[in-house]
Amino acid sequence: MGGSTGRSSRSSETVSGNNAVAAATRGSKIISITKAKAPPPVAVAASSTLVQPIDWKRRVRSEYFSILHQKRTRRQDEAKVAWKQNRISMSDSLAEEMMKWDKTTNTIWMCCLEVPPHSACMKRATITSWEMPSPQNCPIRVINAVTGTPTMYTWAPIQQNFMVEDETVLHNIPYMGDEVLDQDGTFIEELIKNYDGKVHGERDGDWIDDEVLVDLVKAMSTIEDEEKKKTKDRGRKNLFSNEVARRVKKNEESPEDQLQVIDVSDNEIHTIEEIRKEPEQGMIITTGAEIRTPRNKLPSMTVFKAISENFPDKGSATEIREKFIELYEKLEPSAGLPPECTPNIDGPNAESVPREQTMHSFHTLFCRRCFKYDCFLHRLKAYHPGPKMNRRNGLEFQPNKVCGLDCFLHLDEVKLKQLAQLVIDKDGDASNDARIRKIRKQVSQDSGNEASSEDSNDSTLVSRKSEPCSSGSGKKVKCHDSNGHNEKSSKNERRDSKDSTESIKSKDLTMDFLINSNSNSMMMGPSFMKEFQMDIYQGWSGAEQSLFRALHKVFLTNYCAISQMLMSKTCQEVYFFAQKEAADILLEESLKEFTPPRKKPNKKKNRLWSLHCRKIQLKRDGASNHVYNFTPCDHPGLPCDQNCNCIQAQNFCEKFCLCSSDCQNRFPGCRCKAQCNTKQCPCYLAVRECDPDLCEMCGAHEYDISKINCKNVCVQRGLYKHLLMAPSDVAGWGIFLKEYAQKNEFISEYCGEVITQDEADRRGKVYDKYMCSFLFNLNNDFVVDATRKGNKIRFANHSVSPNCYAKVMMVNGDHRIGIFAKRAIQPGEELFFDYRYGPTEQLKFVGIERETDLL
Amino acid sequence: MYRDCLFFRCMAREDHGQPIFGCQFNNRLKPGEPKILATVGSNRVTIYECSSDGKLKVLQVFADPDTEETFYCCTWTEDGKGKSLLAAAGARGIIRIFSPAEAACVKHFLGHGNAVNDLIIHPSDHNLLLSASKDHSLRLWNILTEYCVAIFGGVEGHRDEVLAADIKITGSHIVSCGMDHSLKVWKLNKPELQKTINLSYTYNQRATRPFPTVKENFPEFSTRDIHRNYVDCTKWHGDFVFSKSCEHNIVCWKAGKTFQTWDEVNFSTTETTIILRLDITDCDIWFMRFSMDIKQNVLALGNVKGKCFVYDLSSTDPNQISHNVLTNQKCNAAIRQTAFSRDGNTLVFVCDDATIWRWDVTNNDTLPEDTS
């Protein structure tokens, strides 16, 4: 209650200048309404000092009514002011408009009353009226006939499927025309039943919106606090509550005390108001502190339990508590963003934050299947697994030459390190350019493999250790003196320390230490940094610091490159900063889990691809006709066996799965040199489009479309034909081919909203009634609905002797519907396909065929 | 009080016997010109003169050759050269422009995929016509050059028939409402839209290539909290919006908090503030429209039983808005639409039984007998 009252008084001050009067009326109104419906909450609070234990449920109820009434009164007062303001501004603008109109208008009434020459044979309209003794007559002028366009409801064009959530509440009852409703009275009933009786706008139970909920919880928390205080020093309280207590006692006797009309005389109003003000002011003061630590100020579970009992439709006590925390954070802007993401990563006010925080949006919003933010297809979390946290290897850009006169490579410090490395190095002549190049080549080869492991590439490790200190790789130097020298090793990359032959136990210890120290430093935060590293952090804005941390992960020790990206810092500055930062980065890194690395598929194994593939194909041929949606599997540490969701759904594992890349359930791709448009191609045979990451022989991986031999990439590359839309020769709108198409050539993808089978059942009910359906079965889990969103191919009509056919293909982990030419099609031909032969050969909607009859 | 001075003057019955869905006064005429009224119903468009002797005089009758056509709505505009134009549309989705001076349908617009439920003329540009359609969209047309400037609908647009719309007096916003229980506010003063409007004036069917129509998929504001059923009429009232559903009342509301302006409201605003509710009895069928006089002081809405409720909006307290009920023994069919003449002295409403009823503000001492 406190919070809301505080807001109300603030807004009234800012808005109405004449609030002296308004405040007076408002004050009296609050009381008159409280009088009528609910007892003032303080009265109840006082009552509880006498009667124990406290009836929280009832108190919530009374508090709820009190809040509602306050809100209503406040709203009415505000509405009055707003109405007045609006009336004034509106009449001003209207007056202005009318003045302008009177001056400028020149329209006079001109009406052709001439009787046409053929009026004798014209039909006449008769207008009757009681006042007129004889009816009026007027010849009817029949206007020119215009042929209308076929029926079409607005749809949004898309070129890719779009997943939408189920609607469990009927949006609105569709109007089918009075005839339909008369014929089939049960239709609407059945429709509503499909939604479990839920239609928009039907309120059940007590209504409580977000704002009221927040106010209610706040009010209850104040009461709770008070309650605690009271139990502490109850002795002193006896004085003031005498009178109130008497009243409340009387009130207690009546069973429906919330609705009881309490007769409050004027004197008592004052006392009650004064009492009421106390907690309010207290609340206003506390809110400041609350903003920062809402969780600390949460009322106890008793309160939420009581609220939940009053509003069962709002969920359990825990749910309400969660909801409150969420709402509270939303309503209080300063408590806005979740702690893990940074409020602003750019601009002068950007904070200096760890890499994880900077990258938070990227990690949570970036779709790793579509390579874009907020992709509309893989909206469910399960469809795009998070980043593979394997450490990146390779891609280590070594600066092979100094970037300028002030390059950090000229620093004595760096040169010394290089020298030291040279001395340690056995080969001695590592400064040889050729040698460097050779090693770099080796590294880059490695980089092709996304995650080469520490244990599997021992050879690499050796070569790395012996790698000369190619310019700037300061860490390599320290690699060797890392053992024992703790302080220096903190500058070292964790990789190296892990590579070293330390025992597991000691590793764990280090880990513990790192975790502890990391959490310490996080707790200390910026102040810690300021105290100890003032000199280095000075001159680095928050944005620069954050960006450095993000870039450092990619460019490692290539400070020249980082400097180039930063643009505002020289590589020397970057170098010094990096030295200071190294400790922090190490800590951050250490917390990351190293997933078991995947081995690069053995070249030898590829020879067995055909065998493997044939085996899988056999398995699939034997399988039933059901096709399930693909969801990347994620079962760390376990192989893909019958517990793997891919195997259970009889799907191949795809590159998006978190299983190892040599998983037996992975589709190997094709090695065709031809066009991949016959059953010779294992991809084609498996009704899959060629995967650019698997099929390289056919050119599916080529960026430039003109270089692709493969004909089995049309859906993913969007190589659709030019289509023209026009009124159909058969019914409604039709779609026509502008250019020639060969047999089996790709025409277009059938795009639309991807909805669940359940949702499709609900929608289909209405579509069937309208006798117009754009539903298309995608697989056992999902249906494509092109009603609201789609592309032009949605206008292709049904035919029993069609010139096109539809095929659901697995395209990079997604099922997509391709429309292909059944025979050669001439330019200008209208396109048809047989709706009954959906990809899964399931006739979902009988209504489909009727569409042609109707349109 | 103004509303108390309204007295029944006369009625007229059209011979088609079908509901008359719309009526509009020609409020674009110079002061001193006659009061011209248009009604639409069945496949007919009829033009009347509300003569000073209190009668309804038929001037012209148009009929569509297609008997499938049922006109639902009409609105008056002008050609800028001193002549009036009348736009009408209905079940077939074809918008017709009539010229009473030539006694002919001079233009028509094809584009909507289904019936047109409402037509509105831009308050400051008489060439811009907004149409609300059963095809879930609204279209903005340039009548002069016959170009479709913009389509409002799609991704976040209406999910069912759009039943009514209105353009703010400043021309900055459109409000639309429909069967999906929603009210949506679209921005009309966006630079892209303004550019296309300007471009549409340079368009010449023969000479210029067509340029793209603006497709607005996202309204500026959308709410489903005001009504819980089909919303069939909406009108701007300054910064507020009046709207009604078939729930026996009219609601005056605004987006956002009470004192937020429209500039502060955007697509992420979910809050609405209800300023007032006007209750009415027996108003539970849809496609019943109210109207306000040009000064927005009076609002008139009819009900199913043929009673017309007239509310006085000039009160300073929204909780003390008084109303008057206009009744006539013989008027007992559902009132589909009401209309005020420019001077506000004549109120006309049309009914399901093809009747038109005229009420006048009378200062005569000899008052007609048969008022309620």
Side-chain angles (χ1 to χ4, degrees):
Chain A
M1 168 188 67
S4 74
T5 322
R7 236 195 331 275
S8 116
S9 59
R10 255 209 311 282
S11 60
S12 72
E13 268 165 29
T14 50
V15 170
S16 56
N18 56 347
N19 59 8
V21 183
T25 53
R26 175 180 302 129
S28 64
K29 240 182 210 160
I30 288 176
I31 283 147
S32 68
I33 282 180
T34 349
K35 215 195 284 182
K37 290 250 169 129
V42 169
V44 182
S47 86
S48 56
T49 58
L50 298 174
V51 191
Q52 296 284 344
I54 311 147
D55 185 351
W56 283 104
K57 183 176 176 180
R58 210 169 58 192
R59 188 174 288 180
V60 164
R61 194 135 205 98
S62 72
E63 199 60 38
Y64 166 71
F65 281 119
S66 153
I67 287 171
L68 277 197
H69 291 311
Q70 275 182 25
K71 275 197 190 305
R72 200 170 303 152
T73 319
R74 198 182 72 212
R75 220 180 289 138
Q76 275 179 2
D77 289 344
E78 282 185 359
K80 197 170 163 183
V81 177
W83 173 265
K84 238 189 233 166
Q85 283 181 353
N86 185 54
R87 285 291 306 181
I88 292 166
S89 67
M90 188 184 65
S91 26
D92 285 354
S93 62
L94 279 171
E96 200 179 304
E97 197 68 22
M98 282 168 82
M99 280 254 289
K100 215 167 86 188
W101 175 256
D102 286 345
K103 274 184 199 156
T104 56
T105 183
N106 62 349
T107 313
I108 49 159
W109 179 242
M110 277 192 280
C111 181
C112 167
L113 291 172
E114 245 174 68
V115 180
H118 62 291
S119 70
C121 54
M122 276 171 89
K123 233 178 121 180
R124 298 184 81 84
T126 321
I127 281 87
T128 48
S129 169
W130 322 314
E131 293 81 13
M132 300 227 198
S134 58
Q136 298 181 66
N137 261 300
C138 185
I140 299 174
R141 295 165 204 264
V142 176
I143 54 179
N144 54 322
V146 174
T147 319
T149 52
T151 299
M152 175 172 66
Y153 292 95
T154 305
W155 52 284
I158 48 170
Q159 290 301 333
Q160 213 188 356
N161 286 340
F162 191 108
M163 177 165 277
V164 292
E165 279 170 25
D166 279 18
E167 262 171 36
T168 49
V169 176
L170 182 60
H171 197 266
N172 60 281
I173 293 168
Y175 176 73
M176 310 275 189
D178 295 324
E179 308 81 26
V180 175
L181 294 182
D182 290 344
Q183 276 170 22
D184 188 356
T186 59
F187 170 69
I188 299 292
E189 247 171 71
E190 280 171 29
L191 184 67
I192 295 171
K193 220 196 273 169
N194 279 347
Y195 288 89
D196 295 327
K198 281 185 259 176
V199 187
H200 169 254
E202 282 179 1
R203 282 178 191 158
D204 40 353
D206 271 313
W207 172 77
I208 178 165
D209 72 0
D210 296 350
E211 210 184 309
V212 175
L213 180 69
V214 171
D215 288 348
L216 184 59
V217 175
K218 277 185 188 168
M220 290 313 291
S221 120
T222 324
I223 290 175
E224 204 188 23
D225 286 353
E226 240 167 67
E227 205 55 50
K228 280 176 195 157
K229 227 185 278 166
K230 260 178 214 151
T231 41
K232 268 184 195 166
D233 44 28
R234 188 173 302 163
R236 270 180 285 164
K237 285 266 168 178
N238 282 343
L239 255 170
F240 97 98
S241 58
N242 264 351
E243 233 193 359
V244 186
R246 231 193 308 126
R247 176 161 323 290
V248 169
K249 212 173 180 184
K250 188 178 91 187
N251 194 21
E252 282 291 309
E253 282 156 20
S254 104
E256 300 157 351
D257 59 343
Q258 288 115 16
L259 303 170
Q260 175 80 25
V261 177
I262 310 172
D263 182 23
V264 187
S265 72
D266 278 7
N267 293 343
E268 280 159 345
I269 289 169
H270 280 294
T271 52
I272 286 170
E273 278 228 296
E274 279 157 26
I275 297 162
R276 287 178 63 135
K277 262 177 195 160
E278 260 178 74
E280 274 166 27
Q281 282 161 357
M283 190 66 190
I284 291 165
I285 297 159
T286 52
T287 40
E290 258 187 9
I291 287 169
R292 234 144 271 148
T293 54
R295 273 157 233 259
N296 296 345
K297 281 294 281 182
L298 272 183
S300 72
M301 220 46 198
T302 336
V303 168
F304 288 108
K305 219 179 198 167
I307 296 174
S308 169
E309 278 167 14
N310 274 299
F311 308 101
D313 58 316
K314 282 279 159 180
S316 71
T318 353
E319 279 169 340
I320 291 181
R321 193 162 168 270
E322 293 296 307
K323 174 106 181 159
F324 170 72
I325 293 169
E326 185 196 316
L327 285 172
Y328 194 90
E329 280 167 354
K330 214 197 291 172
L331 284 175
E332 311 289 344
S334 53
L337 293 161
E340 64 270 22
C341 66
T342 160
N344 195 350
I345 59 167
D346 209 355
N349 298 325
E351 288 171 32
S352 166
V353 291
R355 180 175 175 275
E356 283 309 302
Q357 225 170 315
T358 309
M359 303 293 276
H360 182 261
S361 301
F362 174 75
H363 286 152
T364 50
L365 302 175
F366 188 77
C367 175
R368 278 152 209 285
R369 286 173 72 171
C370 300
F371 298 112
K372 62 183 174 198
Y373 282 97
D374 290 325
C375 111
F376 290 117
L377 189 56
H378 310 107
R379 303 189 131 184
L380 299 176
K381 193 82 188 132
Y383 293 159
H384 53 108
K388 293 174 186 166
M389 294 307 264
N390 316 3
R391 209 186 51 236
R392 271 177 92 113
N393 208 345
L395 270 175
E396 194 170 329
F397 299 95
Q398 301 288 352
N400 52 359
K401 61 173 187 237
V402 294
C403 65
L405 282 175
D406 295 325
C407 182
F408 77 100
L409 292 171
H410 290 313
L411 291 172
D412 294 342
E413 196 185 335
V414 180
K415 281 180 178 162
L416 269 173
K417 277 175 196 161
Q418 286 179 351
L419 264 171
Q421 179 61 38
L422 284 176
V423 173
I424 292 160
D425 193 59
K426 281 170 195 159
D427 293 342
D429 63 340
S431 58
N432 188 322
D433 269 1
R435 173 95 175 112
I436 291 173
R437 218 175 294 127
K438 188 175 137 208
I439 282 157
R440 208 178 301 121
K441 196 181 165 204
Q442 193 177 355
V443 171
S444 72
Q445 240 175 17
D446 224 341
S447 74
N449 181 1
E450 195 186 334
S452 76
S453 68
E454 291 96 327
D455 37 24
S456 72
N457 56 0
D458 285 349
S459 57
T460 325
L461 184 70
V462 171
S463 79
R464 273 172 174 282
K465 291 223 168 185
S466 63
E467 186 181 343
C469 177
S470 51
S471 41
S473 56
K475 67 182 176 69
K476 293 291 186 280
V477 181
K478 290 191 196 84
C479 171
H480 293 274
D481 50 29
S482 68
N483 297 335
H485 295 281
N486 220 344
E487 215 177 337
K488 277 186 184 171
S489 78
S490 71
K491 281 182 182 173
N492 205 338
E493 292 259 343
R494 178 181 149 71
R495 174 195 309 175
D496 294 327
S497 68
K498 206 186 174 188
D499 285 343
S500 67
T501 52
E502 279 175 332
S503 73
I504 293 167
K505 199 181 164 191
S506 77
K507 230 187 270 176
D508 283 349
L509 278 173
T510 334
M511 198 75 130
D512 282 347
F513 162 69
L514 291 173
I515 288 167
N516 288 334
S517 60
N518 193 19
S519 58
N520 280 340
S521 77
M522 270 161 108
M523 273 166 68
M524 283 191 249
S527 64
F528 167 81
M529 290 173 174
K530 261 174 207 155
E531 269 179 50
F532 296 96
Q533 295 172 332
M534 200 64 154
D535 48 333
I536 280 299
Y537 284 92
Q538 231 162 30
W540 281 71
S541 71
E544 285 166 340
Q545 293 184 29
S546 301
L547 182 55
F548 168 80
R549 289 176 197 126
L551 291 174
H552 188 264
K553 187 85 167 122
V554 181
F555 294 106
L556 299 175
T557 57
N558 189 345
Y559 303 121
C560 301
I562 296 174
S563 149
Q564 261 179 18
M565 298 280 285
L566 278 173
M567 286 165 75
S568 51
K569 291 277 172 286
T570 68
C571 63
Q572 277 192 24
E573 283 170 306
V574 174
Y575 170 76
F576 286 125
F577 187 80
Q579 298 307 307
K580 292 283 179 199
E581 276 278 302
D584 290 357
I585 286 174
L586 177 70
L587 295 174
E588 194 196 321
E589 287 255 303
S590 65
L591 278 182
K592 242 174 264 160
E593 199 188 315
F594 283 77
T595 51
R598 281 198 267 130
K599 287 173 188 164
K600 195 181 168 103
N602 195 333
K603 287 263 156 89
K604 281 177 199 162
K605 218 169 56 199
N606 279 340
R607 282 181 220 143
L608 299 170
W609 70 273
S610 54
L611 189 81
H612 175 71
C613 149
R614 219 166 289 149
K615 193 178 76 194
I616 285 171
Q617 202 47 54
L618 274 174
K619 189 173 76 188
R620 295 186 62 85
D621 285 344
S624 62
N625 229 344
H626 296 285
V627 180
Y628 292 92
N629 200 57
F630 163 75
T631 311
C633 64
D634 181 14
H635 37 76
L638 298 168
C640 291
D641 51 21
Q642 51 278 20
N643 293 322
C644 165
N645 56 338
C646 293
I647 300 217
Q648 279 171 355
Q650 291 171 325
N651 279 326
F652 291 114
C653 281
E654 300 287 339
K655 55 195 171 190
F656 310 109
C657 291
L658 293 181
C659 58
S660 93
S661 57
D662 57 355
C663 163
Q664 285 295 307
N665 191 39
R666 292 223 175 183
F667 190 83
C670 74
R671 292 169 59 78
C672 305
K673 291 187 176 103
Q675 297 188 314
C676 301
N677 54 358
T678 65
K679 290 200 172 174
Q680 295 295 309
C681 169
C683 296
Y684 185 89
L685 190 66
V687 209
R688 296 165 57 94
E689 278 213 336
C690 285
D691 187 330
D693 290 318
L694 297 173
C695 319
E696 297 197 350
M697 299 296 278
C698 59
H701 68 293
E702 291 286 351
Y703 175 76
D704 187 354
I705 287 168
S706 62
K707 285 184 188 159
I708 304 175
N709 249 340
C710 178
K711 295 275 179 209
N712 196 24
V713 290
C714 296
V715 178
Q716 56 186 290
R717 298 291 178 120
L719 305 174
Y720 52 85
K721 296 271 178 200
H722 194 152
L723 301 175
L724 303 168
M725 187 181 147
S728 165
D729 297 339
V730 181
W733 288 98
I735 205 76
F736 299 77
L737 193 63
K738 191 187 180 193
E739 50 212 292
Y740 175 83
Q742 286 172 327
K743 188 182 173 182
N744 288 332
E745 218 178 332
F746 176 68
I747 305 276
S748 173
E749 182 187 350
Y750 190 95
C751 295
E753 288 179 324
V754 177
I755 55 176
T756 61
Q757 290 281 357
D758 287 345
E759 176 73 6
D761 285 343
R762 289 191 289 264
R763 290 190 183 187
K765 197 104 197 153
V766 182
Y767 298 159
D768 282 1
K769 208 72 196 170
Y770 278 114
M771 292 189 279
C772 176
S773 173
F774 295 100
L775 291 166
F776 209 125
N777 253 0
L778 189 63
N779 53 39
N780 260 28
D781 302 310
F782 292 105
V783 176
V784 170
D785 180 7
T787 310
R788 295 174 198 162
K789 301 184 182 75
N791 53 358
K792 279 195 274 184
I793 199 74
R794 75 200 276 279
F795 291 106
N797 277 308
H798 164 76
S799 166
V800 281
S801 54
N803 49 12
C804 296
Y805 63 92
K807 190 161 80 170
V808 171
M809 305 188 75
M810 177 61 88
V811 183
N812 292 326
D814 299 311
H815 280 125
R816 294 166 78 168
I817 303 163
I819 306 292
F820 297 86
K822 199 173 185 180
R823 55 168 170 82
I825 304 173
Q826 300 304 315
E829 265 193 79
E830 187 177 347
L831 301 179
F832 298 93
F833 60 92
D834 194 330
Y835 289 3
R836 290 171 306 174
Y837 287 97
T840 45
E841 273 101 333
Q842 283 170 318
L843 181 59
K844 180 84 204 167
F845 294 105
V846 256
I848 285 168
E849 282 245 70
R850 271 181 273 153
E851 187 188 356
T852 24
D853 309 339
L854 177 84
L855 302 172
Chain B
M1 289 293 265
Y2 168 82
R3 60 193 167 76
D4 296 326
C5 307
L6 279 166
F7 295 101
F8 173 69
R9 292 306 294 268
C10 81
M11 67 79 77
R13 187 189 298 273
E14 293 181 7
D15 59 355
H16 53 75
Q18 301 294 309
I20 301 179
F21 284 114
C23 61
Q24 289 286 336
F25 269 104
N26 185 355
N27 286 337
R28 309 190 70 92
L29 294 173
K30 250 161 101 162
E33 291 293 313
K35 291 175 187 175
I36 302 297
L37 175 81
T39 63
V40 290
S42 187
N43 63 343
R44 296 266 192 89
V45 175
T46 315
I47 298 170
Y48 297 89
E49 182 187 334
C50 291
S51 52
S52 48
D53 60 350
K55 298 280 183 292
L56 282 161
K57 208 173 116 197
V58 188
L59 299 178
Q60 282 175 345
V61 180
F62 298 98
D64 194 286
D66 192 334
T67 49
E68 295 279 293
E69 179 68 286
T70 306
F71 288 110
Y72 292 147
C73 52
C74 62
T75 188
W76 287 94
T77 183
E78 60 192 277
D79 64 357
K81 292 171 201 144
K83 284 182 202 160
S84 285
L85 294 174
L86 175 68
R92 292 179 68 222
I94 301 162
I95 300 167
R96 302 274 197 168
I97 309 290
F98 297 91
S99 168
E102 294 166 47
C105 167
V106 287
K107 278 172 187 172
H108 66 264
F109 300 116
L110 285 173
H112 277 299
N114 215 322
V116 171
N117 287 319
D118 203 5
L119 290 172
I120 305 97
I121 287 286
H122 191 285
S124 50
D125 186 342
H126 59 82
N127 286 318
L128 294 179
L129 174 71
L130 182 72
S131 55
S133 167
K134 187 179 174 175
D135 71 2
H136 309 179
S137 77
L138 299 117
R139 279 172 188 248
L140 185 69
W141 309 84
N142 185 331
I143 303 179
L144 187 69
T145 56
E146 304 184 32
Y147 205 84
C148 178
V149 178
I151 301 173
F152 303 89
V155 183
E156 293 283 315
H158 283 282
R159 288 260 307 264
D160 208 329
E161 293 192 31
V162 189
L163 293 175
D166 194 25
I167 304 176
K168 210 172 163 184
I169 184 110
T170 57
S172 58
H173 295 84
I174 294 170
V175 60
S176 64
C177 61
M179 278 196 178
D180 57 358
H181 306 188
S182 75
L183 282 142
K184 291 183 193 285
V185 175
W186 310 79
K187 236 177 161 167
L188 197 50
N189 54 1
K190 278 189 180 174
E192 188 203 3
L193 204 49
Q194 287 301 321
K195 205 179 126 200
T196 314
I197 290 172
N198 293 337
L199 213 57
S200 75
Y201 277 104
T202 64
Y203 174 70
N204 181 318
Q205 268 182 321
R206 280 171 214 90
T208 18
R209 271 179 69 85
F211 50 91
T213 293
V214 175
K215 294 188 181 76
E216 186 57 83
N217 278 280
F218 301 93
E220 197 65 10
F221 174 79
S222 180
T223 180
R224 302 221 300 154
D225 297 335
I226 305 293
H227 300 288
R228 286 169 277 162
N229 211 321
Y230 300 167
V231 190
D232 56 357
C233 191
T234 183
K235 292 262 187 283
W236 285 101
H237 183 75
D239 282 330
F240 298 163
V241 175
F242 273 100
S243 62
K244 74 164 279 284
S245 171
C246 36
E247 297 171 308
H248 308 289
N249 60 24
I250 301 169
V251 182
C252 177
W253 59 276
K254 68 178 296 301
K257 294 198 172 21
T258 319
F259 298 104
Q260 261 181 316
T261 65
W262 275 103
D263 294 330
E264 291 158 3
V265 168
N266 59 32
F267 58 90
S268 60
T269 311
T270 53
E271 210 176 337
T272 52
T273 307
I274 291 175
I275 304 293
L276 73 97
R277 276 176 209 278
L278 301 173
D279 291 320
I280 180 170
T281 52
D282 300 312
C283 193
D284 56 355
I285 64 167
W286 64 279
F287 216 84
M288 308 271 281
R289 287 121 185 284
F290 60 81
S291 66
M292 286 185 266
D293 70 324
I294 205 129
K295 289 178 183 150
Q296 309 224 345
N297 284 330
V298 199
L299 183 150
L301 172 65
N303 75 1
V304 180
K305 302 241 168 97
K307 292 176 181 164
C308 186
F309 289 65
V310 182
Y311 300 87
D312 183 359
L313 302 181
S314 57
S315 158
T316 51
D317 186 349
N319 301 310
Q320 287 167 6
I321 284 177
S322 53
H323 73 273
N324 190 20
V325 187
L326 309 182
T327 52
N328 186 295
Q329 280 181 338
K330 286 175 183 161
C331 178
N332 39 34
I335 298 171
R336 289 297 181 176
Q337 192 168 28
T338 62
F340 285 97
S341 64
R342 188 172 179 92
D343 60 7
N345 288 337
T346 303
L347 167 66
V348 160
F349 49 82
V350 291
C351 298
D352 261 2
D353 58 355
T355 52
I356 305 152
W357 303 78
R358 174 178 173 182
W359 293 65
D360 278 12
V361 172
T362 314
N363 298 320
N364 284 357
D365 296 331
T366 53
L367 299 173
E369 296 279 304
D370 59 346
T371 51
S372 58

